[in-house]
Structure formats: C-alpha cells, structure tokens
C-alpha cells in the first residue's frame, strides 16, 4: 500500500539497556562478567602482592634443579641426579599407568558384574548385588588401605624365600617357580631381549626400536585379521555361507609375533632372592597392586550399574524379536542388545574413567609415587614452591581429564544412533 | 577457571592470615596463647601422654617460650604437623613457632623464608635394622629396602649416601614416624632411616627394643632447632634468647629448684642479668625483666629438660654427646647475657 509508513525509528537511549527487553539480558551478562573478571583480577593481584611481601617470587625455575630424591617405581630412567622436571615426568607416567590399567580392569570387571547382575540365576544375581553395594558404599580410601594392609600383613617377608642353610629348604616358595608374593612387592619375571634393535635418539626423547617393532607387528596382524573377516563377510553376503576363519585368524595373530620374538631372542628372566630382596625380575610394589586393585574394584561397582542401566534401557521386545528370529542368547546379546546399550553406557562411563584417574591421587596413602607424590609431594616440600607445584599439578590433571574425555567423546560419536 | 579462583581464594586466605601476624609477639600476647607446631608423635620429643598432655623435649621449648611471653607454660596450643605440612603451617601463620626436629639448612633459612632461632639438638642421620638381619654397618645395606619420611632432609641425605658409596636401594615413601614404625615392624623395609635421636625414640616405643640396632654410621649433620617466620626479628629474638636462657642456666647451675634463691642471692653478675635482678635485658626484647626466671622455674634448664625427656635415665636413653655444654666438650654455647 502506498500510504504505509515505516515504524518510527527509536533513537537509542542509555536507559534502554535496562528497560528494553531486547538489551536487558545482554546488559546483565556484561555486568556479571565484568564483576567476575574484577574479582579474579583482585585475587590474582592480592596473591602476587602477598607473595612479594612474604619474599616469595613466582617462577618455575625449580623444575630445572637437581631433584636429589629417589623414586622406587619408574617407567623411565631416573636417578636422584635428574631434575625435578624429570621426577615430575616419572610421577606423571606412574599416574597414567595406574589410570590406564585401572580403567581396563574396571571396565572388564564392571561389564561382567553388570551383566551377571541381570542373570536369571538367583544366586549369581544376588551375589553381584552384594558386590556392587559393598564396593560403592565404602569410601575408596578405606578400600585402598585395606588391600594394602592385606598385602603387607598377610604375605611373607622376602627373606623367607631364602633357602635355609641347615634345613636345605625355604620357608616360602614361589608360585609356579616364576612369581613371588612378598609383603613388599610381587616379584614377576622380566622380559629380556637378547638381540635388541637399539634405540633412536630424538632430542631429549629416545625411542626403543625393539618396542616399536613389536607394536608394528601386532598392529599389522590386527589389520590383516580385519581384512580376513571383511572378506569372510563379503563371501557370506554373496553365497550365504560363512567360510571358517578361526584357524586363519589364529595363525595371523600368533605366527608373526612369535617369529619376531624368536628372532629378537626374547626370554624370561626369573627373579631370585639375592641379599635383601628379589632381583633379576620386576618387583611390582604392593602400593601399586593395592592402589590398582582397590581403584578397579571400586570403580567397577559403578560401571556395573551403568552397564545394567544400559541393558535395561533396551526394551524387552528387542530380545523377544531376536529370539523369534532364532538368534541364540549370546548372539542376541552381542548383536542386538549391547550395540544399543552402548549408546546409553558410554557417556556416564567417561565420568567413571575421569573419576578413576583423579582418584588415583589417593596413592599418597600407600606411598605410591604418582604425580601427587612427586610433584605435589616431595618436590613441593623440598623446594617450598607450593603455589607453583599445585597450579602445575591441577593443570596436568585437567589436561589428562580433557584428553580422556575427548577420546571417549570420539568413540561415543562413532557408536551413537546414526540418524538419517 | 572456577577451580583456579577457588584455589586463589584459599591461597589468599592463607596469605592474609600470614600477613596479619607480622608482629607475632603482639599477636601472641593479644591471643593469650602460643600456637606451637610440633611432631604429631615422637616419644621424648613431642607426644601426648596418657592424659592427653603434651610432653617432650620440643614441647618443653614451646612451654618455655609461653612462660617467657605469657607467664604461663600451659598457655600453648600444640599443632601436630607432618614433615610435609610444617613449613606451610609456619608460613601461613597457623603456628607462631615450629619446634619439630627441623634441620637448619641453607635453603630453608633463605629460600623458604624461615629463620632458625638456634640449635636445641645436634643430631645426625642413622639407620636402624633388626638384629637378626646380621648387618653391622650401613655399608652392608646394598640392595636393601629403606623406609624414609618424605619431605625431609634425610630423604636427600639417603640418596646422596647410597650414590656416594655406589650402592642401590629401594625407597619406601612414608608420611609420618608412626607409619614408618608400622612399616618397619611389619617388615615392609629392611632399614628405617631418620635422625638418630628419632630412631632411639622410635625404638623405645617398640615391644622388643633389644632386637633392633642402630648402625654406627652417622651419615649427615642435622642441627635441629626452633624456626620462626623470616622478617619478624623481634619474635625471632624472643625465641632465640629463651633457648639461650635455658642453655645458659645450665652452664651457671641455675635450676628450677634454686632459681628463686639464685635470683635473690647469687653474687654472679651474669646470673643476675639473666634472672632480671640487674639490668633491663627483658625490656630490650619487649618482655619484662623476670622472663628468664619464669622460664627456668617452669621447665628447668636445658640439662633438666634433656634428662627428663630424652636423657639416659629415660627409655629413649640418649647420651648428651654433642649436646653437652661447651665446657663439657659439647657444642652448646649460649651467647653472653649482656
């Protein structure tokens, strides 16, 4: 229409920031953000000023200084002449080791317990209920201490494995002649390589070529097996008959690595008691075993409940339909139920992995030197740099958690319902 | 971010507490109580007895300072600190005085911003092993598992000693003396290492002390002393001269029993100055002139404290050794009261 006029254009007035609903929420957000940043700035400024008054500066130079202390369990070469940064790395690797092994054990245990708790066998289901309730309702620290005490009090001293000169026999004997459970550690055989491939030095890092070769061969075998299975599926889809693959996949998995190990001259070195302690093998300390066991058992109780919830979330009709198609219970579980249940299971599982990783800092209770024990314990004490150490430690834990969470999110994206 | 802010708040709260007590002497007087950081349980040095009253060699020093400043040796709040928490407790102002078998070292004195008021026990690090182990020297400990308290100088000395002698060992990190005792008795380690006085005190609490030996090697110098925050010189002086008063009193034969008599009748001008019947020494430190008299009346002199808590008549059975007066061939040497 010709006589239509534009709506009167309001000129912007300052009061509109409060009274105009178009701007109000933005105003409030900006103000809150400014207040928050001012508060944060005040805290930082206050800390810096107070540190200056106490005569303490804020720097990370101490990381380059000589650490001077020893660490019993180390995955990389470390002596007391190395730096605090190296000690930090040793502790970090110990944390990662316990987190990695803990997550694996907790997942395996948790899935088994979760599935069994739904078993139609009354006794098994009730036993699993007891397991879950027992482990998740007692503080983790108490479990760690209990397992540690059980190890230290109930197992024999290393000295009792020594052969007595008069009687000609030892008080305690090793399991299968390979393992020795003592009140300090479990001595297990070490794997030695006779003809190693040496290592490749890349600046501060050195890569063990032997280890690399083994990993490469295993990865190659797995890839080859996948190709084999894909081929079998293609044949099945074309002809309706699935060729037998089990002996081929066994061969593919075992033969190459066996040949490689033989070529490298890999053999076991059995621990033996010499002097005060077992030598020649690997001594896995009781603090590590206690922490690993307690963390796995505790977290597995939570994972079991997550798995049970996931399975129950798949409607009963799915099972009945699968049975009606003639699928056996095991195939029903692996082909119908679990793939759907995983969508429900994985997101809360991420939280459990994060919990386990962060809970591993309770290692301090049994003297396992993880990140908290090295950087946040001894280094902090010997250097007196509380603020720097704690901030750095928080940053590292944050980074670990974000990496775990990121990796699991990728996995979650792969298995979640594909909506088209 | 939230975490950082939370942590920042904590830090600032801690630091604010530290700042508030820049003039510790006034704070203690105003509070009417001395906060003293002690070992959570080391018989003879600092441990609560059956009735819950703290007693011991380090505890006596806390009581002496309380007697000097507040006039009452009982006005002390004992704060048990672990080897790991002690310095933070002092720096944050949670405690006014740290009397906890703490070794006076260069980096603690400078980098950690502490001031040591003196040495109240000259110690050294040693090893304790079971008798049936058949070990007679620390040099035979190659390959042994050793229990060690983390966050201590002994931890570093241990590493140095084994490296210097070309030996290996497995450290077992423990948090407190009680945990070390338990691990050692359970066979979790072959040897327990800490200051020799600490070993003697730990052994005295065993059911079978005769089955454990302290090896002859002393692998370090451990001058143990009371520490205060750096920068508060007046408070540092009070603690330093309280310790000196205890040592000087032994040198001049002033005891808890005869202190009143000495103050009234001693012809020795040094004793007169110490006990406040002559001169104005007390006022120079911000106390009254009777402070040293109160200290000695409350706790006895250094020698009396030593023999009552850790001396040869006690189960701990430590000889005076280096801790004898300089006149007796020891290292105790109080600066003159003048």
């Amino acid at each position: 229409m010709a006589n239509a006029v534009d709506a009167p254009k309001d000129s912007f007035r300052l009061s509109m920031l409060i009274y105009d609903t178009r701007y109000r929420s933005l105003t409030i957000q900006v103000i809150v953000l400014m207040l928050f940043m001012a508060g944060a700035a005040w805290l930082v400024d206050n800390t810096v000023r107070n540190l200056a008054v106490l005569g303490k500066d804020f720097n990370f130079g101490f990381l380059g200084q000589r650490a001077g202390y020893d660490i019993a369990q180390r995955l990389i070469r470390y002596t007391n002449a190395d730096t605090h940064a190296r000690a930090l790395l040793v502790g970090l690797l110990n944390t990662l080791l316990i987190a990695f092994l803990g997550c694996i054990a907790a997942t395996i245990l948790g899935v088994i317990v979760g599935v069994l708790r739904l078993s139609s066998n009354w006794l098994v289901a009730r036993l699993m209920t007891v397991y879950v309730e027992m482990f998740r309702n007692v503080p983790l620290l108490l479990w760690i201490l209990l397992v540690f005490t059980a190890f230290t009090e109930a197992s024999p001293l290393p000295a009792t494995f020594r052969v007595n000169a008069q009687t000609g026999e030892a008080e305690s004997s090793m399991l299968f002649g390979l393992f020795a459970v003592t009140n300090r550690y479990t001595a297990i055989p070490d794997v030695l390589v006779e003809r190693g491939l040496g290592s490749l030095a890349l600046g501060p890092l050195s890569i063990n070529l032997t280890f690399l070769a083994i990993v490469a061969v295993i990865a190659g075998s797995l890839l080859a097996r996948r190709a084999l299975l894909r081929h079998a599926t293609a044949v099945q889809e074309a002809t309706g008959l699935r060729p037998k693959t089990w002996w081929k996949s066994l061969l593919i998995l075992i033969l190459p690595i066996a040949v490689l190990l033989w070529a490298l001259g890999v053999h076991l070195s059995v621990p033996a008691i010499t002097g005060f302690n077992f030598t020649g093998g690997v001594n896995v300390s009781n603090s590590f075993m206690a922490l690993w066991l307690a963390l796995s058992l505790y977290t597995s109780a939570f994972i079991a409940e997550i798995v049970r919830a996931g399975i129950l979330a798949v409607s009963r009709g799915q099972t009945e339909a699968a049975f009606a198609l003639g699928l056996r219970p095991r195939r029903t579980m692996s082909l119908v139920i679990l793939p759907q249940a995983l969508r429900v299971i994985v997101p809360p599982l991420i939280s459990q992995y994060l919990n386990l990783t962060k809970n591993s800092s309770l290692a301090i209770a049994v003297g396992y030197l993880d990140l908290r024990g090295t950087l946040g314990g001894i280094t902090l004490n010997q250097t007196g740099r509380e603020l720097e150490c704690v901030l750095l430690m928080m940053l590292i834990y944050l980074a670990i958690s974000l990496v775990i969470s990121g990796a699991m999110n990728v996995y979650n994206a792969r298995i979640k319902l594909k909506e088209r | 971010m939230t975490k950082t802010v939370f942590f920042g708040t904590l830090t600032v709260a801690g630091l604010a507490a530290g700042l508030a007590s820049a003039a510790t002497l006034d704070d203690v007087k105003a509070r009417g109580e001395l906060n003293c950081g002690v070992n959570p349980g080391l018989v003879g040095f600092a441990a609560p007895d059956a009735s819950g009253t703290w007693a011991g060699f380090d505890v006596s020093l806390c009581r002496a300072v309380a007697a000097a400043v507040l006039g009452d040796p009982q006005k002390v709040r004992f704060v048990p600190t672990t080897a790991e928490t002690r310095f933070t407790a002092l720096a944050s102002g949670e405690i006014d005085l740290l009397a906890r078998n703490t070794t006076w070292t260069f980096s603690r004195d400078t980098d950690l911003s502490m001031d040591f008021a003196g040495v109240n026990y000259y110690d050294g690090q040693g090893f304790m092993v079971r008798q049936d182990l058949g070990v007679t020297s620390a040099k035979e400990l190659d390959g042994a598992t050793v229990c060690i308290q983390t966050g201590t100088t002994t931890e570093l000395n241990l590493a140095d000693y084994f490296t210097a002698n070309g030996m290996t060992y497995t450290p077992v990190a423990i948090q407190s003396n009680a945990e070390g005792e338990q691990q050692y008795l359970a066979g979790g380690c072959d040897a327990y290492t800490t200051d020799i006085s600490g070993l003697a005190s730990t052994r005295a609490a065993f059911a079978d002390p005769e089955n454990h030996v302290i090896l002859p090697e002393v692998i370090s110098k451990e001058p143990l002393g009371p520490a205060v925050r750096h920068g508060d010189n007046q408070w540092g002086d009070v603690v330093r001269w309280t310790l000196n008063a205890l040592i000087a009193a032994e040198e001049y034969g002033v005891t808890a029993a005869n202190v009143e008599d000495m103050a009234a009748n001693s012809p020795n001008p040094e004793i007169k100055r110490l006990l406040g019947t002559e001169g104005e020494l007390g006022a120079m430190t911000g106390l009254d002139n009777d402070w040293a008299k109160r200290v000695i009346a409350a706790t006895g002199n250094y020698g009396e404290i030593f023999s009552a808590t850790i001396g040869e008549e006690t189960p701990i059975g430590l000889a005076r050794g280096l801790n004898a007066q300089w006149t007796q061939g020891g290292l105790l040497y109080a600066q003159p009261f003048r």
Side-chain angles (χ1 to χ4, degrees), chain A residues 115-192:
Chain A
V115 171
L116 286 186
R117 201 177 165 187
L118 290 171
S119 160
S120 50
N121 184 324
W122 187 87
L123 185 65
V124 169
R126 289 304 167 283
L127 274 179
M128 292 305 130
T129 309
V130 170
Y131 174 91
V132 168
E133 298 305 339
M134 199 172 70
F135 278 104
R136 70 172 183 171
N137 289 316
V138 174
L140 174 58
L141 182 61
L142 298 187
W143 281 118
I144 295 177
L145 290 176
L146 180 81
V147 178
F148 185 63
T149 314
F151 267 113
T152 48
E153 300 287 338
S155 35
L157 282 164
T160 59
F161 288 85
R162 202 174 294 133
V163 175
N164 192 315
Q166 280 140 28
T167 58
E169 46 189 66
E171 253 178 81
S172 312
S173 55
M174 295 170 71
L175 286 174
F176 314 116
L178 292 176
F179 305 95
V181 182
T182 76
N183 69 340
R184 292 174 192 169
Y185 44 77
T186 302
I188 59 173
D190 196 2
V191 180
L192 292 186

Side-chain angles (χ1 to χ4, degrees), chain A residues 6-77:
Chain A
D6 285 344
K9 226 180 191 174
D10 267 353
S11 57
F12 180 79
R13 292 185 310 275
L14 219 54
S15 61
M16 282 169 66
L17 284 178
I18 299 174
Y19 296 116
D20 193 320
T21 46
R22 281 175 299 176
Y23 304 119
R24 190 191 289 148
S25 70
L26 199 67
T27 316
I28 294 174
Q29 286 179 43
V30 167
I31 290 175
V32 169
L33 186 67
M34 278 162 65
L35 283 178
F36 178 76
M37 283 169 60
W42 179 79
L43 283 175
V44 170
D45 176 62
N46 201 338
T47 310
V48 169
R49 213 161 340 135
N50 282 325
L51 279 176
V53 169
L54 279 178
K56 289 188 167 187
D57 54 344
F58 187 83
N59 78 60
F60 287 93
F62 67 94
L63 285 174
Q65 289 166 9
R66 181 177 181 271
Y69 60 90
D70 285 296
I71 301 174
Q73 185 190 315
R74 46 191 188 261
L75 296 179
I76 51 173
R77 183 193 50 76

Side-chain angles (χ1 to χ4, degrees), chain A residues 89-371:
Chain A
L89 193 62
V90 173
L92 175 62
L93 288 176
N94 282 349
T95 291
L96 292 178
L97 178 72
I98 202 96
F100 180 70
L101 293 179
C103 284
I104 290 178
T107 309
I108 294 174
L109 259 175
V111 170
I112 292 174
V113 173
V115 171
L116 286 186
R117 201 177 165 187
L118 290 171
S119 160
S120 50
N121 184 324
W122 187 87
L123 185 65
V124 169
R126 289 304 167 283
L127 274 179
M128 292 305 130
T129 309
V130 170
Y131 174 91
V132 168
E133 298 305 339
M134 199 172 70
F135 278 104
R136 70 172 183 171
N137 289 316
V138 174
L140 174 58
L141 182 61
L142 298 187
W143 281 118
I144 295 177
L145 290 176
L146 180 81
V147 178
F148 185 63
T149 314
F151 267 113
T152 48
E153 300 287 338
S155 35
L157 282 164
T160 59
F161 288 85
R162 202 174 294 133
V163 175
N164 192 315
Q166 280 140 28
T167 58
E169 46 189 66
E171 253 178 81
S172 312
S173 55
M174 295 170 71
L175 286 174
F176 314 116
L178 292 176
F179 305 95
V181 182
T182 76
N183 69 340
R184 292 174 192 169
Y185 44 77
T186 302
I188 59 173
D190 196 2
V191 180
L192 292 186
V193 179
E194 226 168 83
R195 299 175 286 272
L197 299 175
S199 58
L200 190 68
L202 284 178
L205 289 173
S206 76
I207 296 170
N208 191 332
L209 286 178
T210 317
F211 181 71
L212 209 63
I214 292 175
V215 170
V217 166
I218 291 177
S221 302
L222 287 177
L223 281 179
R225 178 167 179 271
R226 230 169 88 182
L228 175 77
L229 291 184
R230 203 174 293 150
H231 171 72
T233 310
V235 171
Q236 184 181 19
E237 277 166 6
T239 66
L241 281 177
R242 193 177 176 81
K244 284 226 182 307
T245 56
W246 65 268
W247 63 271
K248 280 185 204 157
S249 49
L250 262 187
L251 211 63
I252 289 175
L253 287 181
I254 293 175
L255 198 61
I257 190 76
V259 169
L260 177 72
L261 292 183
W262 178 78
L264 290 172
V266 170
H267 61 277
L268 288 182
S269 156
V270 179
I273 183 130
T274 54
F276 296 100
N277 286 306
F278 276 93
T279 51
V282 177
N283 294 344
V284 184
S285 71
N286 277 347
S287 51
F288 174 81
M289 294 292 283
L291 189 67
W292 180 50
L293 263 179
L295 274 174
S296 311
L297 292 174
Y298 179 81
T299 314
S300 73
F302 289 90
I303 293 181
E305 286 298 274
I306 292 172
V307 168
R308 188 167 72 106
I311 292 174
L312 287 179
V314 180
S315 94
R316 179 79 192 143
Q318 301 266 344
T319 318
E320 285 164 359
F323 285 168
L325 286 175
L327 287 179
R328 277 160 293 171
R330 264 191 63 191
R331 292 192 75 86
T332 307
M333 186 54 101
S334 63
L335 292 176
V336 179
I337 313 275
L338 275 184
Q340 299 186 74
L342 271 181
R343 294 204 290 269
V344 183
I345 292 173
V346 169
L349 195 62
I350 303 175
S351 303
Q352 290 308 325
Y353 286 172
L354 296 181
N355 273 347
L356 190 146
T357 308
K358 288 177 292 175
N359 284 343
S360 70
S361 58
L362 286 171
I364 196 76
V366 287
Y368 175 72
L369 288 181
D370 65 341
L371 185 65

